Amino acid sequence: MEQVIGKDKKTRVRYSMLALVFINVVINYLDRSNISVAGTALSKDMDLSSEQLGFIFSAFGWTYALLQIPGGLIADRFGPRILYAFCLITWSLATVCQGFVRGFASLFSLRLATGAFEAPSYPINNRIVTSWFPEHERASSIALYVSGQFIGLAFLTPVLTYIQSQFGWQGLFVCTGIVGLIWGVIWYLFYRDPLDHPKVNDAELAYIEEGGGLFRSRQAGTNKASVWSWVNVKQVFSSRTLWGVYIGQFAVNSMLWFFLTWFPTYLVKYRGLDFIKSGYLASVPFLAACAGLLLSGFVSDRLVKQGKSVTMARKAPIIIGLLLSISIVGANYTNDTALIIAFMALAFFGSGMALISWVFVSILSPKHLIGLTGGVFNFMGNLASIVVPIVIGYLAKDGDFKPALVFVGALGLIGACSYIFLVGKIERVVTHDPQEGVFAGE
């Protein structure tokens, strides 16, 4: 219960730290998705085929996915303040440089660089939330920061289309990159871990720790030796439950990466919509996804507070959301623009519901391997960022986008089955920490 008098009233610094993470996510996704807004124009200027455009769309994911495990290890070893500032500044520089490319090879290389420098970002996000929030606030806090990707894109996609219409796709990359450079400095100036923040009081620290926050084990130097171990890597790949959420995350991210890459091109090239109009219409599914995400996060936490089982409270919204995402196939059976957007919005609403899946990293992974488990989880999920754009490029090469939507919808069904049949009772995975000589999952 909230204490209300005197020095015992707990501060709410954790929410201001969450707000900083939220903005990080907005910028993170601006620099992932600006390529989708620029896609039609730059493919025309560079004379790219649909297959080549698919590879450009996927380039970010090659390095981003492959570096998730190293990114998780780095997130466990280095503090979020310095590491996130470094990532923000370097990926933003790569984004600015994309405004000066002249061909496929240079653009592909810079998208690879953007993915590489963004790789530690979500493991860092998860580490921050695990440090700053008790377990019963975890799903809603994750939902709030992840919503940054949808709120940012929903409201900024029309802005991005306007910038491109005025300054070309080159100006679009330069503008979004400069925003990230400025924010990287602001992040460094304002973010602190719980034990280092000058405004957090003992009451808030006690509230976080009593609720399962792990900030004391996050002090510099803790468990470095145990994290950097191939034994630990093997442990996070050997759990059936974790494999269930890995497969589920691939399915969730498949829908996300369709919207982050091919969706504007689908509206303009395959549905014949005006470019500026498409920017406004493209924002509707992102708002729907944000609504699904926030609804899922707060309902899930409420169910936990009401005493419902963690298994039901955490799994049910994700399964329902993945099943709803299959509705994307409905767009194949109408030529009405309003219905197309409605089917897309419903599918992305469902996908948004399933994006609270990051909560499983906090509640399933061994306590000393949260960053590593988050890295593996994000690696498996972001294989979709490689596979989906390329497969869609090939499926749509003859001018028919219908097989691509069936492909994305089928992956949603696979994800739902994974949570239903592979993910069992939700409890922390028990592994042996060789440094402490205890079973770290207990």
Side-chain angles (χ1 to χ4, degrees), residues 51-180:
E51 296 97 318
Q52 288 177 311
L53 187 59
F55 275 96
I56 290 293
F57 283 159
S58 76
F60 172 96
W62 290 46
T63 47
Y64 184 80
L66 293 174
L67 292 176
Q68 281 307 296
I69 297 175
L73 292 168
I74 291 169
D76 276 327
R77 184 161 186 172
F78 298 100
R81 183 188 180 203
I82 294 175
L83 182 58
Y84 226 143
F86 171 81
C87 291
L88 277 159
I89 289 169
T90 50
W91 91 55
S92 297
L93 283 172
T95 300
V96 170
C97 291
Q98 288 167 48
F100 301 94
V101 297
R102 292 292 179 267
F104 175 88
S106 56
L107 180 56
F108 187 83
S109 298
L110 285 168
R111 294 301 294 177
L112 289 174
T114 306
F117 291 125
E118 284 198 25
S121 57
Y122 263 69
I124 300 171
N125 293 343
N126 194 62
R127 169 177 171 166
I128 292 168
V129 169
T130 305
S131 298
W132 271 103
F133 286 86
E135 288 185 3
H136 64 272
E137 294 181 2
R138 203 73 54 77
S140 53
S141 61
I142 289 172
L144 283 168
Y145 82 68
V146 174
S147 71
Q149 68 197 47
F150 300 124
I151 293 174
L153 294 177
F155 290 103
L156 294 178
T157 295
V159 175
L160 296 181
T161 57
Y162 176 78
I163 291 173
Q164 179 171 314
S165 70
Q166 297 299 309
F167 304 105
W169 58 265
Q170 297 91 340
L172 175 64
F173 287 121
V174 172
C175 289
T176 51
I178 288 174
V179 170

Side-chain angles (χ1 to χ4, degrees), residues 20 23-24 27-28 31 80-93 176-192:
L20 295 177
I23 297 173
N24 286 356
I27 294 171
N28 185 304
D31 292 334
R81 183 188 180 203
I82 294 175
L83 182 58
Y84 226 143
F86 171 81
C87 291
L88 277 159
I89 289 169
T90 50
W91 91 55
S92 297
L93 283 172
T176 51
I178 288 174
V179 170
L181 290 172
I182 294 171
W183 181 254
V185 176
I186 295 173
W187 166 267
Y188 180 80
L189 292 175
F190 288 96
Y191 179 78
R192 296 293 188 278

Side-chain angles (χ1 to χ4, degrees), residues 209-283:
E209 189 169 28
E210 289 168 5
L214 302 178
F215 58 84
R216 294 198 188 277
S217 63
R218 296 294 188 188
Q219 298 176 70
T222 300
N223 281 338
K224 288 182 183 178
S226 66
V227 170
W228 290 84
S229 165
W230 285 110
V231 172
N232 289 333
V233 173
K234 181 180 178 180
Q235 288 173 340
V236 298
F237 273 108
S238 61
S239 165
R240 172 183 165 175
T241 298
L242 289 177
W243 268 105
V245 298
Y246 296 158
I247 295 170
Q249 191 66 5
F250 180 91
V252 173
N253 278 6
S254 294
M255 182 68 66
L256 175 62
W257 278 96
F258 162 71
F259 280 96
L260 290 179
T261 56
W262 278 103
F263 182 50
T265 300
Y266 168 70
L267 294 179
V268 175
K269 183 177 179 180
Y270 295 90
R271 289 297 188 170
L273 298 183
D274 173 78
F275 176 71
I276 296 296
K277 184 179 180 181
S278 73
Y280 289 98
L281 291 177
S283 68

Side-chain angles (χ1 to χ4, degrees), residues 123 126-127 130 138 142 242 245-246 356-366 369-375 377-378 428:
N126 194 62
R127 169 177 171 166
T130 305
R138 203 73 54 77
I142 289 172
L242 289 177
V245 298
Y246 296 158
I356 64 164
S357 50
W358 264 99
V359 75
F360 288 112
V361 177
S362 299
I363 61 180
L364 290 175
S365 61
L369 297 177
I370 289 176
L372 175 58
T373 308
F377 174 83
N378 218 21
R428 194 173 299 280

